[in-house]
Amino acid sequence: MDALTINFAAVLQITDEQFFQLCQINELIRFERNADGTLLLMPLVGGLTSNRNANLTAQLGVWNRDESLSIAFASSVGFILPNGAVRSPDASWLRHDRWDSLTQEQKEGFPPVSKSAWKNQTM
């Protein structure tokens, strides 16, 4: 199933903070955002996909705990990409130095990540 795309660009520009608040207020809806500001309503996944994602996240968490190289995230996190898009990967991690370079506010919201961090450190 494809995501539903909503384009408010002609009447409304949503800031990063407003998008974060929209996601918090509507916590049962999985939103992502494209670089052009269009919103994506992501469909729920089926049982098999959810099981695969849970196993992937568990394996990443165990690896991360054993290696202590990074901070691991589940699929419910949103990352702000350099182009302004916000994506929520199935599982991901950031090196400690990258995570530690973020402000407390960035850690509590959708953490911004660099292009290299997104390409090389998310799964």
Side-chain angles (χ1 to χ4, degrees), residues 17 20-21 24 73 76-78 80 99 102-112:
E17 178 60 28
F20 180 78
Q21 291 302 319
Q24 301 312 295
F73 301 92
S76 55
V77 69
I80 300 174
W99 178 251
L102 300 176
T103 66
Q104 187 64 30
E105 184 179 21
Q106 290 171 319
K107 291 176 181 178
E108 291 173 3
F110 296 142

Side-chain angles (χ1 to χ4, degrees), residues 93-104:
W93 64 275
L94 289 175
R95 290 186 332 257
H96 282 294
D97 63 325
R98 178 64 185 120
W99 178 251
D100 293 342
S101 72
L102 300 176
T103 66
Q104 187 64 30

